[in-house]
C-alpha cells in the first residue's frame, strides 16, 4: 500500500483552472534558501494543454511527460531524450475535451498506461474516462468508459484491494466522485459517491490509517475538501467536509508534519484575478483534520503538488499560478511550517504542475502545462552553481576588462577595470580600482590614467615588493601601461612600453624563468604576440614579436607541454576561429605557432585541467559558443567540442563554481547581457548553460570569492553601462574545494 501511495503522488493529475486571462510577468526571486530553478524552456505540447503527468512511458529509465489537450481531444506525449530535453510531441486521440491525465500500470504488464478524464461536449452529456494501454512501443487506441457529469480530474489507485489500479474521477456538474473498478480486461460501470459542490480535483491516499486508499476532493463550489473513507472493496462512507477557503481548486496528499499520516494540501484561487492566492494545509489528527492553515503564494493558484524539492527528507509544496504564469515553491522547515513562497517564471497561464527528476540529476524538477501557448515548461532544479541577482558598481567610461586581486592587502579580493573611454579620441581612458569593503560590497571607484583605450587589465607583483601592480593593454596607443602599487591601493603614474599594433589582451607570467613577472600581449592588427621581459623593478626590455593566427584578441599563459615553463595560447578571431599555441624554449623565446580550429570567431581563451589528466586544456569563447580542446599530452589537442552559452560569449573564465572539485566555465555574453555558467561533468563535458543577467554589453568575466564565503563569485565588466556587475554565488552548503596545481585555472584573459 505504501508503494501504491508513492506511485500515486508522482503520477497524480492536477486540475486546470476554469478561467483564462492575460499573463502577469514575474522574475524569479534572486536569493533564497536551498532550492532554485532555471528559467523554463518550453516544449510544444498540442492544442490547449491543461493537465500534465510524469512517468517513464518508453521504459528507458527517465521521466516522460503526458499532456491532456482539451480543445483537440487528444493526449500528447513528450519523450525525454536525456537531461530534461524532449522529442517532438506524439498525439493520441481520446474522448471529448480531456482536462486531466494520470499514469499507471492499468493492465499489469509492467509499463505505464494513460487515463484521461474527459469533460464531455456539453453540460448535459455525461463525460468519460479514456484508457490508452501501453504495448511497450506505443499506445493502443483509446477505450472510453462512462463516468459522471463533466469529470474534471482523474486519479489511479487500488481502491478494492485486488492488486490492480482502479480509476476515480471528480465530476464537476454531478457533484460526485465516480469509481471504476478494474476487473483485468476493462472496468466495471462507474459507481458514484456524493461529495461537495463542483468538485474539480481528486487524490487518493490512506487518510485514516486502515491500510486502504481513501478519496479526497476539492470543491470549488462549497469551498471545502471532501474526504470519503474506504470501507473495503471499493465502497465508501458518506463524505465528510472540511472547510478550506475561497475557491479551492486542487488537492494533494502527503505527510507534511512528519507524524506518519497523510495531510491535505490545496490552493485557494483568491477573490479575483488580481488578488493573492494561498496554499491551505489541513493536518491529519488521526482520520480527522485540524482547521486549515494558510500560506500566501502568487496570484490565483489553480494547482498544487508535493515533493521533496530541497532534499531534506520532508515534502515541500509547489503551486501553479494561473494568471502570472509562475510556479511558487514553499519549503517545509519541519512540522508543516513553510518558508515564504518564492516564484519562478514558467509559462503563460500555467495551471497544472508535475514533479519528477526530469534531467537525471537526483532532484525533483517541475513541469507545467501552458494552455495559451500550447506548450509545456520544464523548470530544472539547480542546487549548485546558483547566483544571486547582479549588483552593479560604477567604474570609468566603457569598462572593457575586469580583474580580481587583493590590491590593498586586507585579505579580500578587490576589483580593477580597464576603461576604454569614450569615442572619439578615447577620452577618459583609465584604470578603475574598487576596494572590497566586505561581503562583496565595494567602495566607490578610484581612477588612474593609463594609455589610450585600455582594453585589458591584469594584476601581479611586477616590481617584486609584495603587492599587486597593474598592467593594461592599450588598443589605441599600441603599448602596455604599468602602474606600480604604492600600498593600500594607490598607484604611481603609468609607465608605457611599446607593443605590436592594437594590443587587445595582456597576461603576466614568468616567461624566462628568472623569478619575476613578464608581459605578453595579443596584438589584433599585427597578428602577433608581444613578449616584454622584466629586467627588475618594473622595467622591461623592448618587446619581441611572435607570429600567431590572424587577429588574436586574447592571450593566456600556462605550461601546455609539461616541460615546466609557461607557454602562450591566443584566441584568434578570424571567421573560422582558431587558437594558436606557442611553446616556450625556456628563455622567453617561442617556437612557431601551431593552430587548432575552434568555434566561430574566437574572442577569449582560458587554460585549465578540465578532465583531471594532469595537463592543461584549452577553452575558447566566440561569437557562437564555447569550444573545449582537451590536451592529449605534449600540447597536442583533441578536436574542439562546442557547448552553447549565451549570445556572443566574448569572454571565458574557469573555476570550481559548484564546489565539486572540477573546473566549470563562466562566460560573459556580449549580446544577451548576461553571464552563462556551464558545470563540468567531471570528464571535460559540460551541462547545459544556465544564464544570469549581468549588464549592458558585458565584455569580460572573472571568478573569485568576493564575499568571503569560500565559493567563487562572478565579476563582469559591462562596457555600455560603465560598471562592474557582481553575481554572488548562493550555492547552498558549498565551499570551493582547493584544486591541485594541475587543476587550477592558470590563464583567463579578456576580450
Amino acid at each position: 500500500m505504501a508503494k501504491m501511495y508513492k506511485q500515486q503522488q508522482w503520477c497524480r493529475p492536477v486540475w486546470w483552472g476554469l478561467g483564462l486571462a492575460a499573463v502577469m510577468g514575474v522574475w524569479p526571486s534572486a536569493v533564497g534558501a536551498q532550492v532554485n530553478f532555471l528559467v523554463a524552456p518550453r516544449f510544444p505540447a498540442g492544442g490547449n494543454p491543461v493537465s500534465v503527468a510524469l512517468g517513464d512511458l518508453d521504459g528507458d529509465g527517465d521521466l516522460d511527460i503526458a499532456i491532456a489537450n482539451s480543445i483537440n481531444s487528444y493526449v500528447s506525449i513528450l519523450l525525454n531524450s536525456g537531461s530534461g530535453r524532449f522529442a517532438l510531441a506524439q498525439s493520441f486521440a481520446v474522448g471529448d475535451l480531456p482536462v486531466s491525465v494520470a499514469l499507471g500500470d492499468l493492465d499489469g504488464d509492467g509499463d505505464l498506461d494513460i487515463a484521461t478524464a474527459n469533460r464531455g461536449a456539453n453540460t448535459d452529456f455525461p463525460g468519460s474516462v479514456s484508457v490508452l494501454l501501453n504495448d511497450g512501443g506505443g499506445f493502443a487506441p483509446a477505450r472510453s468508459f462512462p463516468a459522471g457529469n463533466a469529470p474534471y480530474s482523474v486519479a489511479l489507485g487500488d481502491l478494492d484491494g485486488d492488486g490492480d489500479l482502479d480509476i476515480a474521477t471528480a465530476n464537476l456538474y454531478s457533484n460526485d466522485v465516480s469509481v471504476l473498478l478494474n476487473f483485468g480486461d476493462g472496468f466495471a460501470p462507474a459507481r458514484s459517491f456524493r461529495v461537495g459542490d463542483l468538485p474539480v480535483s481528486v487524490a487518493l491516499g490512506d487518510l485514516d490509517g486502515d491500510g486502504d486508499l481513501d478519496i479526497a476532493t476539492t470543491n470549488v463550489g462549497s469551498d471545502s475538501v471532501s474526504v470519503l473513507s474506504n470501507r473495503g472493496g471499493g465502497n465508501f462512507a458518506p463524505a465528510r467536509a472540511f472547510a478550506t477557503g475561497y475557491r479551492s481548486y486542487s488537492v494533494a496528499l502527503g505527510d507534511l508534519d512528519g507524524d506518519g499520516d497523510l495531510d491535505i494540501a490545496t490552493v485557494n484561487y483568491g477573490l479575483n484575478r488580481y488578488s493573492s492566492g494561498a496554499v491551505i494545509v489541513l493536518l491529519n489528527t488521526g482520520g480527522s483534520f485540524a482547521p486549515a492553515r494558510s500560506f500566501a503564494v502568487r496570484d490565483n493558484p489553480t494547482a498544487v503538488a508535493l515533493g521533496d524539492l530541497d532534499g531534506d527528507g520532508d515534502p515541500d509544496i509547489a503551486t501553479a499560478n494561473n494568471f502570472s504564469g509562475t510556479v511558487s515553491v514553499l519549503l517545509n522547515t519541519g512540522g508543516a511550517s513553510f518558508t515564504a513562497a518564492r516564484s519562478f517564471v514558467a509559462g503563460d497561464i500555467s495551471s497544472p504542475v508535475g514533479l519528477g527528476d526530469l534531467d537525471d540529476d537526483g532532484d525533483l524538477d517541475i513541469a507545467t502545462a501552458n494552455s495559451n501557448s500550447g506548450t509545456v515548461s520544464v523548470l530544472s532544479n539547480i542546487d549548485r552553481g546558483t547566483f544571486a541577482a547582479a549588483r552593479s558598481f560604477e567604474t570609468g567610461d566603457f569598462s572593457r576588462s575586469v580583474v580580481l586581486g587583493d590590491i590593498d592587502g586586507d585579505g579580500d579580493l578587490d576589483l580593477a577595470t580597464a576603461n576604454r573611454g569614450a569615442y572619439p579620441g578615447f577620452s577618459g581612458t583609465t584604470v578603475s580600482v574598487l576596494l572590497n569593503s566586505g561581503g562583496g560590497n565595494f567602495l566607490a571607484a578610484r581612477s588612474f590614467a593609463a594609455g589610450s583605450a585600455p582594453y585589458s587589465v591584469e594584476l601581479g607583483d611586477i616590481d617584486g615588493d609584495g603587492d599587486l601592480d597593474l598592467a593594461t593593454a592599450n588598443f589605441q596607443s599600441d603599448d602596455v601601461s604599468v602602474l606600480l602599487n604604492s600600498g593600500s591601493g594607490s598607484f604611481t603614474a603609468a609607465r608605457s612600453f611599446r607593443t605590436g599594433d592594437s594590443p587587445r589582451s595582456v597576461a603576466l607570467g614568468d616567461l624566462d624563468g628568472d623569478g619575476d613577472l613578464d608581459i605578453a600581449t595579443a596584438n589584433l592588427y599585427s597578428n602577433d604576440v608581444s613578449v616584454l621581459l622584466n629586467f627588475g623593478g618594473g622595467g622591461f626590455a623592448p618587446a619581441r614579436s611572435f607570429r600567431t593566427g590572424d587577429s588574436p584578441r586574447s592571450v593566456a599563459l600556462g605550461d601546455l607541454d609539461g616541460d615546466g615553463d609557461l607557454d602562450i595560447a591566443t584566441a584568434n578571431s578570424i571567421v573560422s576561429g582558431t587558437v594558436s599555441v606557442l611553446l616556450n624554449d625556456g628563455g622567453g623565446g617561442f617556437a612557431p605557432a601551431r593552430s587548432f580550429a575552434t568555434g566561430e570567431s574566437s574572442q577569449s581563451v582560458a587554460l585549465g585541467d578540465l578532465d583531471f589528466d594532469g595537463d592543461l586544456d584549452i577553452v575558447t569563447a566566440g561569437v557562437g559558443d564555447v569550444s573545449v580542446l582537451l590536451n592529449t599530452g605534449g600540447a597536442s589537442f583533441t578536436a574542439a567540442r562546442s557547448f552553447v552559452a549565451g549570445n556572443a560569449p566574448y569572454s571565458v573564465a574557469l573555476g570550481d563554481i559548484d564546489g565539486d572539485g572540477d573546473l566549470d566555465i563562466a562566460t560573459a555574453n556580449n549580446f544577451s547581457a548576461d553571464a552563462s555558467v556551464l558545470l563540468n561533468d567531471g570528464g571535460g563535458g559540460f551541462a547545459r548553460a544556465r544564464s544570469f543577467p549581468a549588464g549592458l554589453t558585458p565584455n569580460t568575466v572573472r571568478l573569485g570569492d568576493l564575499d568571503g564565503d569560500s565559493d567563487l563569485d562572478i565579476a563582469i565588466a559591462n562596457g555600455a553601462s560603465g560598471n562592474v556587475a557582481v553575481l554572488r554565488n548562493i550555492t547552498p552548503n558549498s565551499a570551493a574545494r582547493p584544486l591541485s596545481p594541475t587543476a587550477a585555472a592558470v590563464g583567463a584573459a579578456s576580450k
Side-chain angles (χ1 to χ4, degrees), residues 246-250 265-269 278-280 297 301-304 319:
Y246 186 73
R247 297 179 76 181
S248 294
Y249 270 86
S250 175
T266 182
V267 287
N268 286 349
Y269 186 76
V279 168
I280 302 299
V297 294
T302 52
V304 63
T319 70

Side-chain angles (χ1 to χ4, degrees), residues 11-53:
C11 290
R12 186 188 57 78
V14 285
W15 183 77
W16 169 63
L18 291 171
L20 303 178
V23 177
M24 298 167 58
V26 64
W27 287 101
S29 175
V31 293
Q34 292 134 343
V35 64
N36 288 278
F37 291 88
L38 285 177
V39 174
R42 300 186 191 182
F43 302 92
N48 199 39
V50 294
S51 179
V52 62

Side-chain angles (χ1 to χ4, degrees), residues 186-274:
F187 292 86
R191 300 169 60 195
S192 295
F193 301 89
R194 175 77 187 190
V195 291
D197 294 341
L198 303 181
V200 292
S201 180
V202 62
L204 308 181
D206 183 8
L207 293 168
D208 53 10
D210 64 357
D212 48 26
L213 293 181
D214 308 306
I215 296 176
T217 68
T218 46
N219 312 308
V220 69
S222 52
D223 300 334
S224 65
V225 167
S226 291
V227 173
L228 295 90
S229 294
N230 195 332
R231 292 172 167 170
N235 294 301
F236 292 86
R240 293 175 295 152
F242 300 90
T244 55
Y246 186 73
R247 297 179 76 181
S248 294
Y249 270 86
S250 175
V251 63
L253 308 180
D255 184 7
L256 295 171
D257 55 5
D259 64 356
D261 49 26
L262 294 181
D263 308 303
I264 294 175
T266 182
V267 287
N268 286 349
Y269 186 76
L271 294 174
N272 55 54
R273 59 171 289 191
Y274 302 107

Side-chain angles (χ1 to χ4, degrees), residues 146-526:
N149 196 340
Y152 253 76
S153 177
V154 62
L156 307 181
D158 184 7
L159 294 170
D160 55 3
D162 64 355
D164 49 27
L165 294 181
D166 307 305
I167 296 174
T169 67
N171 306 314
L172 183 72
Y173 294 132
S174 51
N175 299 323
D176 56 17
V177 167
S178 290
V179 172
L180 294 84
L181 297 180
N182 190 336
F183 54 77
D185 234 359
F187 292 86
R191 300 169 60 195
S192 295
F193 301 89
R194 175 77 187 190
V195 291
D197 294 341
L198 303 181
V200 292
S201 180
V202 62
L204 308 181
D206 183 8
L207 293 168
D208 53 10
D210 64 357
D212 48 26
L213 293 181
D214 308 306
I215 296 176
T217 68
T218 46
N219 312 308
V220 69
S222 52
D223 300 334
S224 65
V225 167
S226 291
V227 173
L228 295 90
S229 294
N230 195 332
R231 292 172 167 170
N235 294 301
F236 292 86
R240 293 175 295 152
F242 300 90
T244 55
Y246 186 73
R247 297 179 76 181
S248 294
Y249 270 86
S250 175
V251 63
L253 308 180
D255 184 7
L256 295 171
D257 55 5
D259 64 356
D261 49 26
L262 294 181
D263 308 303
I264 294 175
T266 182
V267 287
N268 286 349
Y269 186 76
L271 294 174
N272 55 54
R273 59 171 289 191
Y274 302 107
S275 62
S276 296
V279 168
I280 302 299
V281 171
L282 294 88
L283 296 180
N284 194 328
T285 58
S288 189
F289 292 86
R293 301 167 62 192
S294 179
F295 301 89
V297 294
R298 281 292 304 228
D299 48 304
N300 311 116
T302 52
V304 63
L306 306 182
D308 185 8
L309 294 168
D310 57 3
D312 65 355
D314 49 26
D316 307 304
I317 295 175
T319 70
N321 308 315
N322 187 271
F323 286 117
S324 60
T326 63
V327 168
S328 290
V329 171
L330 298 85
L331 299 182
N332 194 333
T333 58
S337 294
F338 294 88
T339 60
R342 298 174 61 207
S343 294
F344 301 87
V345 174
D348 57 277
I349 312 184
S350 301
S351 289
V353 58
L355 306 181
D357 183 9
L358 293 167
D359 54 9
D360 295 322
D361 64 354
D363 49 27
L364 294 181
D365 308 304
I366 295 174
T368 69
N370 311 310
S371 60
N372 210 36
S373 61
T375 61
V376 165
S377 293
V378 173
L379 293 87
S380 293
N381 192 336
I382 49 172
D383 60 355
R384 289 189 175 276
T386 304
F387 291 86
R391 301 175 59 199
S392 295
F393 301 89
E394 297 301 316
T395 60
D397 291 337
F398 292 91
S399 298
R400 299 288 306 192
S401 175
V402 62
V403 66
L404 314 182
D406 185 7
I407 292 172
D408 56 4
D410 64 355
D412 50 26
L413 293 181
D414 309 304
L415 304 175
T417 65
N419 310 312
R420 185 202 71 193
Y423 290 111
F426 296 99
S427 59
T429 59
T430 62
V431 173
S432 290
V433 172
L434 296 86
L435 299 180
N436 195 328
S437 58
N441 294 302
F442 294 86
L443 301 178
R446 300 170 62 193
S447 293
F448 302 88
S452 182
Y455 267 61
S456 176
V457 61
E458 280 296 338
L459 285 170
D461 185 7
I462 292 173
D463 57 3
D465 65 354
D467 50 27
L468 294 180
D469 308 305
L470 290 166
T472 67
N474 306 313
F475 184 76
Q476 188 71 9
S477 53
D478 300 331
D479 57 18
V480 167
S481 292
V482 173
L483 295 84
L484 299 179
N485 193 334
S486 55
S488 301
S490 295
F491 291 86
T492 61
R495 299 171 61 193
S496 295
F497 302 90
R498 182 77 183 182
T499 63
D501 293 344
S502 302
R504 288 290 294 259
S505 176
V506 63
L508 302 179
D510 184 8
L511 294 171
D512 56 4
D514 64 356
D516 50 27
L517 293 180
D518 308 307
I519 294 174
T521 65
N523 308 312
L524 184 71
Y525 293 145
S526 53

Side-chain angles (χ1 to χ4, degrees), residues 692-708:
F692 303 88
L696 296 178
T697 63
N699 291 297
T700 307
V701 60
R702 294 295 177 101
L703 301 176
D705 181 12
L706 293 169
D707 55 5

